[in-house]
């Protein structure tokens, strides 16, 4: 059974940092492109970032470029995203997702999400 | 950035009725469009990818159609568990984008 379990969320002040993790199991993690998608309270879904299967290629939404860094450890079956210079508008549930296919793709498995709240 | 516009915002129907949801793209996305269902407090679930392919385990009452800029998600006969919010998403261009959602509510 495919499982994605996020952790690392919390309450942080504007300008602060967090590192989110996503532990993957039930599939060959190193073969899949992985993604982060977020959802602000009561709002829609927003794609945040993508990393290819070996970690050599990353892509970001303009709203987070230069502040967020996606990475992965295939030996540990774990996806990460480092969130720096956080803003109030980054407040959201952050989902770790698996891509159906490589590169630009749909998302077939989602973690339960981890809540990030940015507030003073 | 490709903008996806979903209509209607809310669809009020009774169980057993047919639901037709629309997603329009600001430019062609070929057939690279997916649909998701999200129930309150739950994680989004992939229903349809590449316009018309049902994801694993999705019932046959869900079907997708369209290409280019106009897409439709049809639920042939609404079951009680189908009342939820539905999002479309394109994978034709970066950034990947989602529509604003259509809420299917019980009439």
């Amino acid at each position: 059974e495919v499982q994605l379990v996020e952790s690392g969320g919390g309450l942080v002040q504007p300008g602060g940092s967090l590192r989110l993790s996503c532990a993957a199991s039930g599939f060959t993690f190193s073969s899949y492109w992985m993604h982060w998608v977020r959802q602000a309270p009561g709002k829609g879904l927003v794609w945040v970032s993508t990393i290819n299967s070996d970690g050599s290629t990353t892509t970001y939404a303009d709203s987070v470029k230069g502040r967020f860094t996606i990475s992965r450890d295939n030996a540990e079956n774990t996806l990460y995203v480092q969130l720096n210079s956080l803003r109030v508008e980054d407040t959201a549930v952050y989902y770790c997702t698996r891509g159906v296919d490589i590169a630009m793709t749909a998302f077939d498995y989602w973690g339960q999400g981890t809540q990030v709240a940015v507030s003073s | 950035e490709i903008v996806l516009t979903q209509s209607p915002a809310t669809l009020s129907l009774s169980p057993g009725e047919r639901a037709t949801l629309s997603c329009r793209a600001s430019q062609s996305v070929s057939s690279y469009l997916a649909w998701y269902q999200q129930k309150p407090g739950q994680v989004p679930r992939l229903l349809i990818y590449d316009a018309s392919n049902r994801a694993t385990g999705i019932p046959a009452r869900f079907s997708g159609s369209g290409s280019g800029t106009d897409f439709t998600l049809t639920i042939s006969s609404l079951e009680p568990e189908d009342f939820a919010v539905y999002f479309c998403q394109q994978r034709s261009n970066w950034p990947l984008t989602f529509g604003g959602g259509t809420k299917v509510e019980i009439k």
Side-chain angles (χ1 to χ4, degrees):
Chain A
E1 177 192 6
V2 172
Q3 285 200 319
L4 299 169
V5 180
E6 302 95 335
S7 60
L11 175 63
V12 62
Q13 291 188 335
S17 298
L18 282 174
R19 188 194 199 199
L20 308 184
S21 301
C22 171
S25 61
F27 65 102
T28 306
F29 179 71
S30 59
S31 297
Y32 284 83
W33 289 50
M34 297 295 294
H35 315 262
W36 289 96
V37 174
R38 70 184 181 184
Q39 186 170 33
K43 301 296 185 181
L45 301 166
V46 177
W47 167 77
V48 173
S49 183
T50 291
I51 188 166
N52 73 337
S53 56
D54 68 7
S56 61
T57 300
T58 58
T59 314
Y60 299 92
D62 284 348
S63 59
V64 307
K65 200 173 295 182
R67 300 187 300 122
F68 291 9
T69 303
I70 191 172
S71 62
R72 65 192 297 161
D73 184 337
N74 285 344
E76 296 292 329
N77 292 338
T78 303
L79 175 71
Y80 302 100
V81 63
Q82 177 70 38
L83 315 179
N84 294 334
S85 303
L86 281 162
R87 304 168 180 168
V88 171
E89 56 266 34
D90 294 319
T91 294
V93 174
Y94 284 73
Y95 295 106
C96 164
T97 70
R98 190 184 82 166
V100 172
D101 202 345
I102 62 171
M104 297 179 285
T105 184
F107 312 111
D108 60 354
Y109 285 93
W110 298 60
Q112 286 300 307
T114 187
Q115 176 73 56
V116 171
V118 185
S119 175
S120 54
Chain B
E1 169 174 324
I2 295 176
V3 176
L4 299 179
T5 302
Q6 292 188 240
S7 62
T10 303
L11 196 52
S12 298
L13 295 168
S14 301
E17 289 193 292
R18 182 184 188 89
T20 303
L21 288 67
S22 174
C23 178
R24 177 163 290 177
S26 58
Q27 65 189 74
S28 176
V29 298
S30 185
S31 294
Y32 300 134
L33 191 101
W35 291 93
Y36 301 84
Q37 176 194 66
Q38 187 176 33
K39 299 177 184 179
Q42 294 190 19
V43 171
R45 176 174 72 146
L46 177 66
L47 300 175
I48 302 286
Y49 65 96
D50 291 352
S52 61
N53 298 297
R54 271 191 302 277
T56 303
I58 301 304
R61 65 180 181 274
F62 291 93
S63 63
S65 63
S67 65
T69 61
D70 290 299
F71 298 86
T72 301
L73 174 69
T74 301
I75 310 171
S76 59
S77 178
L78 282 164
E79 297 288 338
E81 62 267 28
D82 299 337
F83 292 92
V85 178
Y86 294 82
F87 295 97
C88 56
Q89 176 240 330
Q90 64 82 20
R91 72 172 188 94
S92 174
N93 284 68
W94 298 109
L96 307 179
T97 52
F98 292 85
T102 290
K103 181 180 181 180
V104 178
E105 65 176 24
I106 299 176
K107 185 173 182 181

